[in-house]
Every structure is written in structure tokens, then in C-alpha cells.
Amino acid sequence: MIPFFVFFFLLLQNSFAILDPIDFLALQAIRKGLDDLPGSNYFASWDFTSEPCNFAGVYCDGDKVIALNLGDPRAGSPGLTGNLDPSIGKLSALAEFTVVPGRITGALPESFSQLKSLRFLGVSRNFLSGDIPASLGLLRELQTLDLSFNQLTGSIPWAIGALPALSNIILCHNHLSGSIPPFVSQRLTRLDLKHNSLSGTLLPNSLPSSLQYLSLSWNQLTGPVDYLLSRLNQLNYLDLSLNRFNGCIPGILFTFPLTNLQLQRNLFSGPVLPISEVTIPTVDISFNRFFGEISPLLCNVENLYLNNNRFTGQVPAVLVDRLLSAGIQVLYLQHNFLTGIEINPRVEIPVSSSLCLQYNCMIPPVETACPLKAGKQKSRPTNQCVEWKGQKSEKTNNNNITTIMA
């Protein structure tokens, strides 16, 4: 017959699993590398004389740690300081690892590559430095990688692009350089690489058609993207601004379920020819080299930035009608080669709407408030308009000759 105290001990063992000793020691090492910033009290519950599975941010399954969320998750909390100890790699069952914004410095430990069950890795808004370990490419289960708002350098490892389960990769606001690797995961919906120093071109098949959010702004990327964009028909947000992309943009792009289209400050050229009425709320294609007449199919865009291009001809009457009925909130047409607009000089533009016409090949018939960057000149110098008209005629004639010869 088993004595009562032995039976009670066995019962306790079965009811409350004791944390695996390796995980216990790993948590101790992680704690030694980190401290609360002034005003933070996150580590108050980390008393290693008690059960670690009851610590703040520690989640267990049986005797293993499966999730570690370091720092107080409440908005505005001061966060943590210190660095990430390589012992994190010993938490063999870890599926989720996050750190709240703070002042954690140093490199991302290579030992993360040992966490074969890791699905979520998020250490954003800290001061991580050094390269992104290429060994993260061993994490075949990884779905989200968020290392944004740090000081990471080097290139994006191509092994990360080969991860099959990735759905979110957020590396924005770092100092990353080199080219963007191709991404193979057909689950990838969000790719945010803005505010880095990435360069090179994007191949037509380098991004999966599953993408819904794509931001590559504030980099040094070059080359055409028309074939690539034509495939990404699930996009609801696209920002390629402040790069050096060139070539034309496909008309089919305007049919995608986009809420925001940002292509400004590139080297895009050619006519802008949507294939149907555009219902994207915000379209910004300013500061490029687009030419030709403005398409009336853009009349349902609420915020339309066409300024600083080479558009010619009359402003479509339907755009004017939509502006006067407050359907268009912003219509920026300055710094083009437009020759006319049908609008009553005494008309009152709705208070909620903005129109800028200055520095075109016409005298603006209405006085409107323009951005300060538009300058003070109302119209282009006549010689520029004559010169541009001559260039346009020559180009048209050359195209006609090419057509005839073909």
C-alpha cells in the first residue's frame, strides 16, 4: 500500500508539470541579459524560486516553454534594455518570441536557427544591429518575421526568401542594403521593406501573387516593374515611391483592389491608360515622367496627384465636375504641360477640395492655394511649351514611321 504522502506527491507531479531544466536555465540566462527600463516593472514576477511558467510573458505546454513575450505589452510602456542571450536557442519548443519596443542592443543571436518550431519572431523598435543571420533560413515553420525599426545592416539573406511558410516579413526602417531576394512562399501577404538602402532590380517572378501589402519606398531600387505588377492582382496597398524604377505601368494595375497607390518620385514614363473606371481612393504618381493626356477614367479617385510630370492637352471636364461636387478632394496638376481647363473663373471650389494648376502651358483661370513647393510662377515659359510640343510632334512622327515600316 502506497503511503499517503507519496500518493499526494505523485498527484502533484501529475497535476503540475515541473519546467524542463534546460528551459529553466535558458530563462535564467535570458533574464541576466535584460533589465527593465526606468518605469517598467515587467521582471517583478520573474522569481526563480517559484514556477517559471507563471512568469509574465512566459507560456508553457507541459514542461516546455512555447511562447516568450518579453516586456509589458501595454502601449507606451518603457520596455527593456540589454541584449538577447543566445540561450534563447535552447527553448526547443518555442513557437513565438516577441519583445516590446525598448532599448535592446546587439545582434540577433544565431541560436534562433535552433528553434525549429518557431512561427513568430518579432523584435521591432529596438536597437538591434549587425546582419540578419542567414541561418534563419533553417526555420521552415516561420510565418512572421518582424525586425522593423532597428539598426540592422547587410543584405536580406536569400535563404529567408526561400522559407515556404512566410506570410509576413517586415524589415522596414533599418539600414539594409543589396538586392531583394525572390520570395517563394505562396502564403506571403505582407512585404514591408521601406526606408532601407536596397538596390538592384526586381525580376517578374520574384514576388508571389498572394501579396496584399507591398511597400518598398525610400530605397534605391531600379528597373521596370510592369510585368511584376501585372501578376500581383491581390494587392490592396502598393507603395513604390522614392526609388528609381522606370518604364511604364500596366493599365490593369488600376483594376486591383487597392486603397492606396503610391508611385511618386521615380522615373516611370509613358502614358497612363487605365482599362476601366478607377475607384482607388488615393493615387499618387507625381514626380515621374508620364506623358500624354490625362485619362477621364481617373475621375472617381478622391486624392489624385498627377503633378510634376509631362501631361499635355486639356484637363478632362469630368474631373472638373467631380472636383466642384466635392467628389475629388485633391487634384494636383501643377508642373505639367497642360494647355487648358474648362472652369468658370468665378466658380467657388468646395472648401474640402484642393486644386493646383500652376506652371502649365496656360494661365490658370482660377486662383487656388497650391503647395509652397509648387513655386510662385503661374505659367511655364512659352519657349518650354513650344519646345515640348516640338519634341512631342517629332516623337509622334517617328512612331508613325515605325508603324508604317512595320
Side-chain angles (χ1 to χ4, degrees):
M1 183 175 179
I2 302 175
F4 177 79
F5 72 89
V6 175
F7 174 79
F8 184 72
F9 177 76
L10 292 174
L11 182 64
L12 282 176
Q13 273 196 319
N14 290 331
S15 300
F16 303 100
I18 298 174
L19 187 65
D20 183 288
I22 295 176
D23 284 27
F24 184 90
L25 292 173
L27 289 178
Q28 283 189 321
I30 292 166
R31 172 65 184 92
K32 287 178 182 178
L34 298 170
D35 280 303
D36 284 302
L37 282 169
S40 173
N41 200 31
Y42 169 73
F43 280 122
S45 68
W46 282 49
D47 176 5
F48 284 93
T49 62
S50 60
E51 173 54 50
C53 291
N54 295 325
F55 292 177
V58 178
Y59 301 90
C60 301
D61 184 8
D63 65 344
K64 306 294 289 183
V65 176
I66 60 169
L68 188 55
N69 306 134
L70 296 174
D72 188 338
R74 291 177 295 184
S77 62
L80 307 176
T81 185
N83 46 53
L84 300 176
D85 192 276
S87 294
I88 292 169
K90 295 181 179 178
L91 299 173
S92 58
L94 199 66
E96 177 181 320
F97 180 82
T98 65
V99 181
V100 301
R103 298 193 63 83
I104 292 178
T105 59
L108 194 70
E110 289 272 355
S111 59
F112 271 103
S113 63
Q114 301 169 24
L115 304 174
K116 304 306 181 184
S117 299
L118 195 65
R119 295 193 298 270
F120 192 105
L121 173 56
V123 188
S124 66
R125 297 181 185 273
N126 276 278
F127 291 83
L128 293 179
S129 58
D131 294 352
I132 298 174
S135 57
L136 292 184
L138 298 173
L139 304 178
R140 308 296 287 175
E141 302 298 319
L142 192 64
Q143 297 173 13
T144 293
L145 177 63
D146 183 357
L147 303 176
S148 58
F149 291 90
N150 279 289
Q151 297 177 357
L152 297 168
T153 55
S155 59
I156 302 172
W158 281 49
I160 289 178
L163 289 173
L166 270 183
S167 59
N168 299 282
I169 181 161
I170 308 168
L171 303 176
C172 59
H173 291 271
N174 279 287
H175 307 297
L176 300 171
S177 57
S179 58
I180 297 176
F183 288 90
V184 303
S185 172
Q186 296 303 311
R187 304 178 191 175
L188 189 64
T189 58
R190 184 183 183 94
L191 179 61
D192 191 347
L193 305 178
K194 63 178 174 282
H195 282 269
N196 279 290
S197 298
L198 299 168
S199 59
T201 59
L202 295 173
L203 298 176
N205 294 313
S206 59
L207 301 178
S209 58
S210 56
L211 272 177
Q212 297 176 18
Y213 181 106
L214 175 61
S215 182
L216 304 177
S217 64
W218 289 87
N219 280 289
Q220 300 161 23
L221 299 163
T222 58
V225 290
D226 50 336
Y227 290 111
L228 172 68
L229 293 179
S230 296
R231 296 176 45 256
L232 306 182
N233 59 1
Q234 302 300 311
L235 283 175
N236 56 49
Y237 183 93
L238 175 62
D239 188 354
L240 303 182
S241 61
L242 289 122
N243 280 286
R244 299 170 188 168
F245 290 120
N246 58 35
C248 60
I249 56 173
I252 195 172
L253 176 65
F254 294 97
T255 68
F256 296 169
L258 289 162
T259 58
N260 206 305
L261 174 59
Q262 305 279 346
L263 302 179
Q264 68 269 27
R265 296 184 184 274
N266 277 284
L267 302 173
F268 289 118
S269 59
V272 178
L273 301 172
I275 62 176
S276 60
E277 270 194 4
V278 181
T279 57
I280 304 169
T282 296
V283 172
D284 191 342
I285 59 173
S286 61
F287 291 92
N288 278 288
R289 299 175 179 178
F290 293 115
F291 58 79
E293 296 190 350
I294 296 173
S295 172
L297 294 174
L298 294 167
C299 69
N300 285 317
V301 177
E302 295 174 14
N303 302 290
L304 182 58
Y305 301 86
L306 303 179
N307 54 289
N308 296 80
N309 278 288
R310 300 170 182 179
F311 289 112
T312 54
Q314 288 271 124
V315 179
V318 66
L319 264 71
V320 177
D321 293 341
R322 289 280 295 161
L323 178 78
L324 297 180
S325 65
I328 294 180
Q329 304 296 308
V330 176
L331 181 57
Y332 279 179
L333 302 173
Q334 68 269 22
H335 287 259
N336 279 289
F337 293 83
L338 299 168
T339 53
I341 180 171
E342 291 186 14
I343 189 170
N344 189 327
R346 291 185 293 274
V347 74
E348 288 191 12
I349 295 173
V351 177
S352 61
S353 299
S354 299
L355 170 67
C356 186
L357 293 169
Q358 68 189 60
Y359 211 70
N360 277 286
C361 295
M362 62 176 169
I363 299 173
V366 289
E367 288 287 333
T368 58
C370 286
L372 291 175
K373 292 182 179 179
K376 296 181 179 180
Q377 289 180 279
K378 298 296 182 185
S379 303
R380 275 189 182 275
T382 304
N383 64 317
Q384 288 187 14
C385 295
V386 172
E387 184 181 342
W388 177 250
K389 188 176 181 180
Q391 291 176 1
K392 183 185 173 187
S393 298
E394 183 179 347
K395 187 171 183 178
T396 302
N397 289 336
N398 288 339
N399 287 341
N400 288 340
I401 292 171
T402 303
T403 304
I404 294 169
M405 291 177 67

